[in-house]
Amino acid sequence: MDKFIIEGGRPLYGNVRVQSAKNSVLPLLAASVLTEDEVVIREVPAITDVTCMAEILRGLGAEVTFSEGNVRIGGARASNHIIPSSLTRELRSSVFMLGALLARFKRAACAYPGGCDIGLRPIDLHLNALKRFGVEIAEREGYIECTCPRLSGADIALDFPSVGATENVMLAAVMAEGRTTLAGAAKEPEIVDLQNFLNAMGARVRGAGTDVIEAEGVGRLHGTEFTPMKDRIEAGSFLIAAAICGGEVETEGVRAETLGLLLHKLRENGCKIHTKNDKIKIVSSGRLRCNRRIETMPFPGFPTDLQAQMTALNAGAEGGALVVENLFETRFKYVPELLKMGADIEVRGRTAFVRGTGRLHGAGLTAGDLRGGAALILAALGAEGNSEVGGLIHVDRGYSDFEGKLRSLGAGIRRVRI
Ligand code: EPZ
């Protein structure tokens, strides 16, 4: 068990080399089972969600080796199409593996992923979409068993632009017979990265980033080497950290338009933002105004994965803010930890009423989920006095060397083993 010891109140200065995007690398790893050839994904982040996904691939019979930051995957043998329940529970998003396994092995099985700290995480959109390909789905004793002797391309529509369901459809469609169209697709940049990866393997997918994605099924896919996009949520987390602490920080590798409304919101707080190609520089006095309103929406709206971090910023700013979480049912579970720091926040269902106190004070804190944990760390960095943050197992799922990068910017943070 580890915890961070944080000395609050230091401004941040410097540049951040952003990691490859967790939410792109995970579906790319899933897509690697679509071919028997070798696939290399470069610069994968050293985070536990990636190691967990590697374990899932090994459980399916693939050879997975990490070296010098790259991961090499040998094609999964047709030995196993069942994702171990322990790993499905650990990595809920692995449900998009079903599409890839069906495309390759014409069968797939996994445990029901179940809910987590941010919401119920149902998979009805995934299953209804897979049925459109002719997939038979049996649900028994908490397991989902999918079989489909012949995947036929289909016209599919999602009632909600689910990122995972969009990825599942893309993975099932690339080797289905005929054409598949997906209306109501998610438009996140990670979907575009997956399309580029699949096409590098010989697939014929187009439209990613728009509401309608089309795929022409092909007979087989071949191996490839691919460098994923950078992690826009990590970059956003560092920009918010700089806003809270004050100083001047530049991120490299992420373009402004992939951050949805974040930069507009940081300008509302009183920060200066300069962007050039894939560089984003923020200048902050550390004394901020609250945003009147933040509403999380599917891309290109305000990213739900930066909601907690912006609520932490508003809690220590001047004024008041309404934060509405439209994507997940219970994504405010980190708020009681902020209250320990003197925050004045009232949560009613999917809405948080934040009364900015001007400055938070340090406290003993525990992370309960990935982005809520990041929010507590950012709040502690900007607070008066020292804090401790436990529950780092959640933070290590999505941020590689978070404390090392923050320390390189001047933050007072160190990891201790307890
Ligand atoms: C992806 O999760 C991301 N994870 C999440 O990031 C991100 O918050 C989310 O997209 C939204 O952008 C990965 O990419 C690995 P959804 P996913 O399906 O695919 C409901 C992080 O912190 N829904 O777009 O699971 C669902 O309950 C993580 O990096 C259904 O109702 O998200 C949620 O309310 C957290 N039925 C909403 O849609 C379904 O079948 C959005 O979920 C599927 C989803």
Side-chain angles (χ1 to χ4, degrees):
M1 296 275 279
D2 295 353
K3 66 180 175 184
F4 284 154
I5 307 293
I6 294 174
E7 178 202 335
R10 293 197 198 179
L12 303 181
Y13 290 93
N15 293 11
V16 181
R17 234 178 66 75
V18 180
Q19 70 187 31
S20 291
K22 166 178 89 74
N23 292 347
S24 176
V25 168
L26 294 176
L28 299 189
L29 287 168
S32 65
V33 302
L34 289 167
T35 177
E36 291 175 332
D37 296 353
E38 186 174 83
V39 168
V40 175
I41 300 172
R42 298 192 198 93
E43 303 170 19
V44 293
I47 55 177
T48 53
D49 270 9
V50 167
T51 42
C52 181
M53 196 69 192
E55 280 315 302
I56 289 175
L57 295 178
R58 290 187 182 110
L60 298 170
E63 284 85 44
V64 183
T65 48
F66 291 86
S67 74
E68 290 149 26
N70 305 323
V71 64
R72 194 178 295 275
I73 306 111
R77 292 190 300 276
S79 58
N80 190 356
H81 65 289
I82 300 173
I83 304 172
S85 57
S86 58
L87 292 174
T88 310
R89 267 194 296 281
E90 199 176 322
L91 185 61
R92 273 164 205 82
S93 50
S94 58
V95 73
F96 52 50
M97 283 292 301
L98 292 175
L101 293 170
L102 281 162
R104 179 78 189 284
F105 303 129
K106 305 294 181 276
R107 54 185 187 157
C110 74
Y112 240 99
C116 68
D117 262 314
I118 63 174
L120 297 169
R121 308 304 287 271
I123 58 170
D124 54 312
L125 298 174
H126 294 251
L127 300 183
N128 294 337
L130 291 176
K131 284 174 187 165
R132 298 282 298 130
F133 288 98
V135 177
E136 298 282 321
I137 296 176
E139 302 170 39
R140 48 170 152 261
E141 291 146 30
Y143 250 81
I144 304 160
E145 292 177 8
C146 306
T147 49
C148 188
R150 200 167 70 63
L151 276 174
S152 308
D155 291 328
I156 303 171
L158 291 178
D159 293 334
F160 179 85
S162 154
V163 171
T166 299
E167 291 161 347
N168 232 335
V169 170
M170 291 166 77
L171 293 168
V174 287
M175 291 197 289
E177 288 186 19
R179 163 180 296 200
T180 296
T181 59
L182 174 64
K187 298 186 273 192
E188 273 70 3
E190 291 77 13
I191 305 285
V192 178
D193 223 31
L194 179 60
Q195 171 179 281
N196 295 339
F197 180 75
L198 291 169
N199 289 344
M201 294 172 77
R204 294 168 59 195
V205 186
R206 62 198 176 115
T210 74
D211 298 297
V212 181
I213 295 175
E214 290 184 359
E216 290 294 339
V218 294
R220 71 179 293 277
L221 295 181
H222 53 72
T224 188
E225 293 210 7
F226 190 82
T227 303
M229 64 180 278
K230 295 300 182 219
D231 197 316
R232 59 196 176 96
I233 304 304
E234 188 202 28
S237 302
F238 277 100
L239 292 169
I240 297 167
I244 293 173
C245 297
E248 188 173 315
V249 166
E250 181 173 82
T251 60
E252 187 172 351
V254 166
R255 301 183 69 86
E257 58 271 17
T258 66
L259 285 165
L261 295 180
L262 175 70
L263 301 186
H264 303 278
K265 292 296 166 185
L266 289 171
R267 289 192 177 102
E268 275 179 11
N269 300 125
C271 300
K272 295 270 179 289
I273 306 272
H274 312 286
T275 64
K276 186 162 185 274
N277 301 327
D278 68 350
K279 289 184 178 173
I280 303 172
K281 179 187 287 185
I282 185 168
V283 183
S284 168
S285 66
R287 285 183 306 285
L288 304 174
R289 297 188 298 274
C290 285
N291 304 100
R292 285 179 51 77
R293 188 183 185 85
I294 290 177
E295 283 233 34
T296 64
M297 298 299 271
F299 192 84
F302 187 88
T304 175
D305 294 346
L306 291 172
Q307 175 262 99
Q309 300 90 318
M310 282 304 277
T311 301
L313 179 153
N314 277 276
E318 296 291 349
L322 201 63
V323 181
V324 183
E325 171 55 62
N326 291 307
L327 274 295
F328 290 101
E329 299 87 350
T330 55
R331 207 166 192 178
F332 286 116
K333 284 196 172 175
Y334 60 90
V335 167
E337 297 298 299
L338 288 179
L339 300 185
K340 291 180 186 173
M341 304 177 77
D344 182 354
I345 304 171
E346 195 178 333
V347 175
R348 296 268 181 90
R350 290 182 180 233
T351 302
F353 299 85
V354 183
R355 293 177 196 84
T357 62
R359 188 110 193 250
L360 301 179
H361 58 72
L365 307 165
T366 305
D369 68 272
L370 169 57
R371 307 302 178 184
L376 299 182
I377 293 161
L378 270 46
L381 289 168
E384 198 157 353
N386 296 347
S387 300
E388 294 186 354
V389 182
L392 299 188
I393 191 170
H394 299 288
V395 177
D396 292 339
R397 284 189 45 217
Y399 292 94
S400 64
D401 192 20
F402 201 23
E403 70 271 24
K405 294 180 181 178
L406 286 165
R407 225 181 3 257
S408 74
L409 298 174
I413 180 171
R414 61 191 170 87
R415 182 188 286 252
V416 296
R417 185 131 302 192
I418 42 178

